[in-house]
């Protein structure tokens, strides 16, 4: 069991997380320093904040980075409550890009992409060394190109990790424990929801959990309906990051985290009884089982965000977070 299931799963997860981290760090190096200013300027209305944060999350491949930054902006009283809600809704949409790419099942191109990306990165590192006397603008351009090649290499590692995890599909078919879980989920899809929420909260990556569900569904081990339940559960489990980021902070940051939890839980409660309809819609878009789960996640997040967007315009949210008075025990600068 260890050699056939546990080791490939752990090995694949390590490669997956390494790729996600390389991709995230590269994209943040390229665009991260400007993100705070962009968020402040681009969130004049909740719908603009939702659209911008969706794009920023898709670009940076990290809803965590955008959510944590939003908590910081709220604590600093830079943006209103309504604008933070729009940003949160946008991050849920932006996270769909990774799983849509995973759903394309393009793992065969992972190794060539990795090799080409590393060669491109090395080439521009050499060019940067040879152009030390160049203008700052030229240096910045070369650095951004290096980061883009590293981001592509990170994505190739993500695809490689998924390919490794796919190798556990056959052993899982013969495992009684996995069949027990499938039997329970057949009786109630809430078992799949619970699995998605707990796994995501444990490993702090909804992308990893959803990618595993897509992998198992694509190989025929996991029914699509259970995979969709896992996806909905992972959207709730991912809230743990925002909760931890806001713990011990100002009330504004706690509001952002609480809003994240409430919006995601409400969306999950709304769609859990509608999994059959969500499956039918995703099946209309694609016949591939893995792609169906990716499409279901996109439909779920987009519909939930659009339904919640009008709430961001309520007058109660049109104010900035209050200034938190310093504690009597804390020295005042």
């Amino acid at each position: 069991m260890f050699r056939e299931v546990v080791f490939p799963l752990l090995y694949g997860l390590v490669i997956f997380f390494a790729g996600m981290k390389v991709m995230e760090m590269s994209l943040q190096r390229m665009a991260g320093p400007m993100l705070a200013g962009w968020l402040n300027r681009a969130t004049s209305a909740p719908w603009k904040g939702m659209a911008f944060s969706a794009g920023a999350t898709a670009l940076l491949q990290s809803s965590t980075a955008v959510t944590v930054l939003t908590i910081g902006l709220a604590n600093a009283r830079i943006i209103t409550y309504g604008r933070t809600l729009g940003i949160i809704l946008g991050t849920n949409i932006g996270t769909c890009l990774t799983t849509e790419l995973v759903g394309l099942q393009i793992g065969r191109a992972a190794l060539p992409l990795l090799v080409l990306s590393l060669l491109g990165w090395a080439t521009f590192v050499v060019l940067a060394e040879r152009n030390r006397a160049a203008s700052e603008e030229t240096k910045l351009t070369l650095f951004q190109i290096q980061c883009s090649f590293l981001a592509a290499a990170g994505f190739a590692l993500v695809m490689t990790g998924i390919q490794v995890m796919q190798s556990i599909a056959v052993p899982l078919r013969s495992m009684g424990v996995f069949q027990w879980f499938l039997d329970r989920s057949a009786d109630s899809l809430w078992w799949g929801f619970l699995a998605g929420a707990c796994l995501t909260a444990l490993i702090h990556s909804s992308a990893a959990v959803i990618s595993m569900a897509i992998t198992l569904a694509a190989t025929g081990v996991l029914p699509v309906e259970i995979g969709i339940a896992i996806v909905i559960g992972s959207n709730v489990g991912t809230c743990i990051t925002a909760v931890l980021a806001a713990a011990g902070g100002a009330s504004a940051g706690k509001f952002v985290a609480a809003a994240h939890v409430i919006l995601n839980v409400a969306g999950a409660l709304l769609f859990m009884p509608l999994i059959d309809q969500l499956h039918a819609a995703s099946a209309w878009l694609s016949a591939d089982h893995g792609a169906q789960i990716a499409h279901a996640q996109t439909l779920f997040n987009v519909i939930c965000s659009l339904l919640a967007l009008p709430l961001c315009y309520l007058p109660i949210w049109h104010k900035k977070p209050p200034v938190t008075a310093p504690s009597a025990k804390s020295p005042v600068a």
Side-chain angles (χ1 to χ4, degrees):
M1 176 180 172
F2 179 84
R3 186 175 60 183
E4 294 179 339
V5 176
V6 178
F7 179 74
L9 181 61
L10 294 177
Y11 180 48
L13 280 174
V14 167
I15 298 175
F16 181 94
F17 281 126
M20 286 292 291
K21 200 63 182 176
V22 169
M23 185 165 54
E24 178 184 333
M25 290 179 64
S26 300
L27 291 170
Q28 286 187 15
R29 287 285 186 90
M30 187 166 58
M34 297 174 281
L35 183 59
W38 289 346
L39 271 176
N40 190 33
R41 290 192 297 270
T43 57
S44 57
W47 74 267
K48 292 181 180 179
M50 184 179 76
F52 178 81
S53 64
T57 302
L59 174 65
L60 298 179
Q61 290 294 292
S62 175
S63 61
T64 299
V66 179
T67 302
V68 170
L69 179 58
T70 303
I71 290 174
L73 292 174
N75 284 336
R77 301 184 67 249
I78 295 176
I79 56 178
T80 63
Y81 285 125
R83 288 162 72 177
T84 65
L85 293 175
I87 294 171
I88 290 169
L89 295 177
T91 59
N92 288 339
I93 296 175
T95 55
C96 298
L97 176 63
T98 301
T99 47
E100 284 289 351
L101 291 173
V102 171
L104 293 176
Q105 298 291 316
I106 54 178
R108 295 177 182 177
L111 184 58
L113 177 61
L114 179 61
V115 173
L116 290 175
S117 301
L118 293 177
L119 286 175
W121 171 75
T123 299
F124 279 91
V125 167
V126 172
L127 285 176
E129 286 295 319
R130 293 181 177 178
N131 289 273
R132 288 185 176 182
S135 65
E136 291 299 320
E137 184 178 353
T138 300
K139 290 180 180 179
L140 179 60
T141 300
L142 291 173
F143 177 73
Q144 289 176 329
I145 294 174
Q146 291 175 37
C147 289
S148 65
F149 275 113
L150 272 183
F155 179 71
L157 286 175
V158 168
M159 293 295 102
T160 303
I162 290 172
Q163 276 194 308
V164 173
M165 287 188 285
Q166 284 180 335
S167 65
I168 72 173
V170 175
L172 279 178
R173 289 179 185 270
S174 59
M175 287 181 60
V177 175
F178 189 74
Q179 189 59 46
W180 180 89
F181 168 75
L182 291 181
D183 292 339
R184 301 288 80 72
S185 298
D187 295 334
S188 174
L189 291 174
W190 287 100
W191 282 90
F193 171 88
L194 185 62
C198 293
L199 281 173
T200 302
L202 181 65
I203 66 178
H204 291 274
S205 176
S206 60
V209 174
I210 296 171
S211 296
M212 282 191 286
I214 290 174
T215 296
L216 294 174
T219 53
V221 174
L222 186 71
V224 176
E225 293 87 351
I226 299 177
I228 295 175
I230 291 173
V231 165
I232 295 175
S234 72
N235 277 268
V236 174
T238 194
C239 296
I240 190 67
T241 304
V243 172
L244 293 176
S251 59
K254 293 177 180 177
F255 168 84
V256 175
H260 195 193
V261 173
I262 292 171
L263 289 171
N264 284 20
V265 170
L269 293 176
L270 174 65
F271 270 90
M272 278 300 294
L274 302 176
I275 284 182
D276 288 339
Q277 289 77 7
L278 199 57
H279 180 202
S282 60
W284 181 78
L285 295 172
S286 174
D288 181 82
H289 288 178
Q292 286 174 15
I293 292 179
H295 296 334
Q297 189 211 11
T298 300
L299 290 171
F300 167 72
N301 280 327
V302 170
I303 293 172
C304 285
S305 295
L306 291 177
L307 288 175
L309 182 60
L311 299 177
C312 302
Y313 288 88
L314 295 175
I316 191 175
W317 310 127
H318 294 174
K319 61 181 180 179
K320 291 184 178 180
V323 178
T324 302
S327 171
K329 297 181 181 179
S330 303
V332 179

